């Protein structure tokens, strides 16, 4: 059984001491490919260095909405150039809108729209972060779709909104990725979303080092724990773990255009 963790941040300090042990555990858990997200382009060198050590790692490049104060037109050009500089880049992001605690919306809009354009031009998916901004996001996507006559493949990462909101994203043909939040006692609304995403649009992730699933909640999260996410999502959808793993792995291969066969040994 193989799993793909579609959203990790392994360059953060919390992994600097024991990445080899963390990697052993993800391989034993059956995780044979991972997508490394990017909060700001300055991280890209560190991400490449980790991918040099772990060939199962694929990369995204982009600017997170909560770092939007850094946004300039030149940064858009930098993201586009970095995305073309390394074959391991399979996505743009993470980008999006986060109005939970922010005053400055205009830079978030500018950065998001430009990154959607880059993803569309390069035919790569865009990894989207959306918090307290679902309405505005749907609006932006409709506008951009009209202007570009299409949208890039969109991945809603770490979905934690309502089922009604997720329906609007499913109508826009989004992939929807679920994290350890699905295992939290209070996340009934998120489990409703899990139940309604089409089978060919479902993805799983850890968003590590954040959001460790039950029974690891409160600890540092790591890619091996994506298995707990998979188990809970399988249960909600009435599938075996193997069926869910197969479905989400095929979806990730398709969405990120990952190479079909991994050179890594297959874990149990
Ligand atoms: Ni992230």
């Amino acid at each position: 059984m193989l799993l793909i963790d579609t959203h990790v941040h392994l360059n953060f300090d919390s992994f600097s001491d024991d990445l080899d042990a963390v990697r052993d555990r993800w391989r034993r858990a059956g995780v044979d490919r991972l997508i490394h997200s990017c909060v700001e382009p300055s991280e890209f060198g560190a991400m490449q260095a980790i991918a040099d050590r772990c060939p199962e790692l694929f990369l995204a490049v982009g600017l997170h909405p909560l770092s939007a104060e850094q946004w300039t037109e030149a940064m858009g050009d930098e993201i586009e150039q970095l995305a073309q500089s390394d074959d391991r880049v399979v996505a743009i992001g993470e980008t999006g809108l986060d109005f939970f605690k922010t005053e400055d919306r205009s830079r978030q809009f500018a950065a998001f729209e430009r990154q959607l354009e880059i993803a569309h031009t390069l035919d790569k998916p865009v990894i989207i972060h959306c918090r307290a901004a679902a309405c505005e996001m749907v609006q932006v996507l409709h506008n951009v779709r009209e202007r570009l006559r299409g949208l890039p493949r969109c991945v809603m990462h770490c979905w934690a909104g309502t089922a009604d909101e997720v329906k609007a994203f499913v109508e826009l043909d989004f992939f929807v990725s679920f994290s350890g939040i699905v295992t939290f006692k209070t996340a009934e609304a998120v489990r409703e979303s899990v139940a309604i995403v089409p089978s060919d649009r479902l993805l799983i992730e850890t968003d590590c080092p954040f959001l460790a699933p039950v029974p690891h909640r409160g600890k540092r999260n790591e890619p091996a724990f994506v298995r707990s996410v998979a188990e809970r999502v399988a249960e909600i959808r009435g599938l075996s773990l193997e069926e869910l793993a197969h479905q989400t792995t095929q979806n990730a291969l398709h969405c990120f255009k990952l190479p079909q066969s991994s050179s890594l040994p297959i874990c149990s």
Side-chain angles (χ1 to χ4, degrees):
M1 186 190 71
L2 298 179
L3 296 165
I4 297 181
D5 184 346
T6 64
H7 198 107
V8 302
H9 297 275
L10 300 174
N11 61 315
F12 289 5
D13 285 349
S14 47
F15 291 113
S16 57
D17 289 339
D18 65 342
L19 188 61
D20 288 337
V22 169
R23 184 182 186 217
D24 282 346
R25 288 194 290 273
W26 84 54
R27 294 178 72 165
R28 272 187 271 126
V31 177
D32 90 326
R33 275 163 276 194
L34 311 89
I35 311 293
H36 200 299
S37 189
C38 179
V39 175
E40 46 192 70
S42 62
E43 294 172 301
F44 193 68
M47 291 163 49
Q48 285 177 305
I50 297 172
D52 291 343
R53 288 166 65 186
C54 309
E56 63 271 47
L57 202 62
F58 294 85
L59 306 176
V61 60
L63 183 72
H64 192 287
L66 292 180
S67 299
E69 79 283 349
Q70 296 180 19
W71 177 254
T72 58
E73 277 301 312
M75 183 177 278
D77 297 341
E78 182 189 3
I79 290 169
E80 185 162 13
Q81 183 268 321
L82 288 174
Q84 295 173 95
S85 71
D86 187 323
D87 288 343
R88 296 171 295 187
V89 175
V90 295
I92 301 301
E94 58 189 285
T95 175
L97 302 174
D98 187 328
F99 297 156
F100 185 62
K101 277 190 234 169
T102 190
E103 311 275 288
D104 181 11
R105 296 185 173 202
S106 63
R107 273 177 196 248
Q108 287 196 22
F109 280 121
F112 181 41
E113 290 187 29
R114 175 80 169 102
Q115 290 177 84
L116 285 168
E117 271 179 37
I118 294 167
H120 189 254
T121 304
L122 301 182
D123 188 25
K124 294 187 192 299
V126 63
I127 298 171
I128 295 180
H129 167 109
C130 178
R131 188 170 189 199
C135 272
E136 293 88 344
M137 173 147 304
V138 169
Q139 190 65 54
V140 170
L141 290 162
H142 280 279
N143 294 344
V144 170
R145 184 171 63 178
E146 193 134 312
R147 187 157 48 83
L148 302 179
R149 297 170 194 272
L151 282 175
R153 298 186 297 293
C154 293
V155 178
M156 180 58 78
H157 115 83
C158 194
W159 178 247
T162 68
D164 278 341
E165 288 165 348
V166 95
K167 278 179 200 158
F169 296 119
V170 165
E171 271 173 35
L172 286 160
D173 213 21
F174 268 51
F175 290 82
V176 184
S177 183
F178 292 94
S179 69
I181 292 174
V182 297
T183 68
F184 297 175
K185 212 172 178 180
T186 52
E188 209 40 64
V190 181
R191 287 187 285 275
E192 280 173 36
S193 294
V194 171
I196 62 172
V197 171
S199 301
D200 63 352
R201 287 292 178 272
L202 192 64
L203 297 171
I204 51 174
E205 66 173 72
T206 55
D207 200 13
C208 65
F210 314 111
L211 295 168
V214 173
H216 312 283
R217 194 168 180 188
K219 292 189 226 154
R220 178 189 69 178
N221 198 3
E222 62 175 67
F225 299 165
V226 79
R227 196 170 174 130
S228 301
V229 178
E231 284 168 357
R232 192 71 176 99
V233 170
E235 191 185 310
I236 295 162
R237 293 180 67 97
L239 298 172
S240 69
L241 177 59
E242 289 70 22
E243 287 167 327
L244 188 279
H246 179 74
Q247 215 167 65
T248 52
T249 294
Q250 290 305 313
N251 293 344
L253 293 174
H254 168 66
C255 176
F256 295 101
K257 296 192 176 170
L258 301 178
Q260 274 291 336
S261 70
S262 163
S263 53
L264 297 164
I266 291 173
C267 309
S268 61

